[in-house]
Structure formats: C-alpha cells, structure tokens
Amino acid sequence: EVQLVESGGGLVQPGGSLRLSCAVSGFSLGDYDMYWVRQGIGKGLEWVSMIGYAGDTYYPGSVKGRFTISRESAKKSLYLQMNSLRAGDTAVYFCARAFGSSFDLWGQGTLVTVAS
Amino acid sequence: QSVLTQPPSVSGAPGQRVTISCTGSSSNIGAGYDVHWYQQLPGTAPKLLIYDNRKRPSGVPDRFSGSKSGTSASLAITGLQAEDEADYYCQSYDNSPYWVFGGGTRLTVL
C-alpha cells in the first residue's frame, strides 16, 4: 500500500529540538520530491521544507536556519530536524509527496506543541 | 496572512452549486503557475482534489471542477452533498516563498 506515516511529535520547551520522521511505503523515496507542510491549530496550511529527488533542499524564511529536511532512502524515511523551536511552530506536521507542483499523497500528521 | 486569498466561508443547500475563489498575484498564479485544490475533512489530512488548474485525480467525482484566469482561480462544486462539508485550500507556486497556500475556505452544507 502506498502511504506515509509520520511520528516524533510531542511537547517541547521553547528553544528545544525535535526530529520528526515520515515512514514511506509503496514507492521509492529517491524517485520523488518530498515535503513537510504544517497546520497550526485551527489555521491554514504552510509549506515548511522540500527535498528534491536530487537532494536539493528549500525552506521558507520562517524556518530557514532552524529546520533541516533529510532522507534515508534505504530506511524509506524522511526526516525533519527542528531546532530553536518557538511557540509559533506549534502545529500538526504533515509529510507529503510531490505530483508536479501539487501534493498527491499525505500522511496523517503528527502534533508538535512548543510550550513551557 | 496567506499569499493566496480565499473567502473564509461559503455555504449552500444540498443540490446547489457553490464556487470558491482563490486570488493571487503576478508572482504566483499570474506568473502562469498551476493552481491545485485540496479538500480537508474534519480531523483528517488534506486530499488532492484538483491539480494543474482543472484536472481531477482518479476517484474524484466530476461534480468538482477547477478553472484559472489571470491572477485568480476557482473551484466549483455542483450537486452539493452533505459529505462535501469540509475545508478547501488552493495552492500554487510562487517565486518566493515557493509553495504557497490559500488561507482555506470552510464549506457549510445547509
């Protein structure tokens, strides 16, 4: 079955770090661009990182320098290392697969709460 | 605020037709980038509904259609059903910050 399953979310203090994982099944990670998209509670969607099939990475200004996207194709896993977390980073984080410039496959999401 | 602008809410009675607009600018939709639409049912992940302005993934009913003109795009839903009650998001590409979404529109079926 083709699917994405996120894990690693939880409660973290401001300034702390967290690493999210996204387990991939049913397709090869290296064949697709992959993304992380987040959604604040009761809010809209925001793209937070992208890794191309060639390994190039992109970030919006809101997380650049704090978040790092990576992948291990052999482990069929996508990661998001989040450092210097802020209250504004509190959200459900989804991993998603590219289909052209759209996202055709989404995980169920993992909740990250940044609070003291 | 979001790069792409959507109305916060729309509503319609069962069987009616509703449209949701998505307004961008010359750096995204107006630059020729495709617009995509997602449906998000309560408590679930977004689902791709329309891609490349007007194409439907397999399994999406033809009651859903998309269009694009200039710096705007629209999603139309005909024959409204109770199960269509959800949040709808448009998405496109921007020169910076690349992948952008609308703020979302809550569809209420009366």
Side-chain angles (χ1 to χ4, degrees):
Chain A
E1 182 184 2
V2 177
Q3 67 175 358
L4 303 170
V5 178
E6 301 93 337
S7 61
L11 174 64
V12 61
Q13 292 188 337
S17 298
L18 208 58
R19 188 175 88 151
L20 306 182
S21 299
C22 172
V24 169
S25 56
F27 66 96
S28 176
L29 247 186
D31 290 343
Y32 292 85
D33 296 345
M34 296 294 295
Y35 301 79
W36 287 95
V37 176
R38 70 184 178 186
Q39 184 171 35
I41 306 308
K43 297 186 177 179
L45 300 167
E46 179 188 17
W47 161 70
V48 293
S49 63
M50 177 273 199
I51 184 165
Y53 65 87
D56 45 323
T57 59
Y58 301 89
Y59 308 89
S62 57
V63 307
K64 196 169 187 178
R66 300 188 299 123
F67 289 14
T68 303
I69 188 173
S70 62
R71 67 175 181 228
E72 284 189 77
S73 294
K75 292 188 175 182
K76 294 181 173 289
S77 292
L78 178 74
Y79 305 104
L80 184 67
Q81 177 66 44
M82 305 185 295
N83 300 328
S84 302
L85 283 162
R86 309 164 178 166
D89 297 318
T90 294
V92 174
Y93 285 73
F94 299 98
C95 58
R97 185 180 73 175
F99 181 63
S101 60
S102 70
F103 311 111
D104 73 332
L105 182 67
W106 298 67
Q108 85 289 351
T110 186
L111 176 62
V112 172
T113 303
V114 183
S116 53
Chain B
Q1 70 211 42
S2 303
V3 173
L4 305 178
T5 301
Q6 298 179 234
S9 63
V10 298
S11 62
Q16 285 190 331
R17 177 181 187 268
V18 297
T19 62
I20 299 172
S21 62
C22 175
T23 303
S25 68
S26 58
S27 66
N28 42 68
I29 298 175
Y33 296 117
D34 290 326
V35 178
H36 319 291
W37 292 89
Y38 302 86
Q39 178 192 59
Q40 186 175 33
L41 298 170
T44 69
K47 168 193 167 185
L48 182 61
L49 196 65
I50 296 288
Y51 68 98
D52 294 355
N53 307 312
R54 58 178 62 249
K55 299 176 182 176
R56 284 187 307 276
S58 173
V60 173
D62 60 6
R63 301 187 297 104
F64 296 91
S65 63
S67 63
K68 173 190 159 184
S69 178
T71 58
S72 296
S74 288
L75 172 71
I77 309 172
T78 59
L80 206 57
Q81 299 179 4
E83 66 203 50
D84 299 333
E85 192 159 284
D87 293 327
Y88 292 84
Y89 293 90
C90 61
Q91 177 251 316
S92 186
Y93 185 85
D94 192 285
N95 294 328
S96 180
Y98 308 131
W99 294 272
V100 292
F101 290 91
T105 299
R106 173 71 52 91
L107 169 62
T108 300
V109 181
L110 301 171

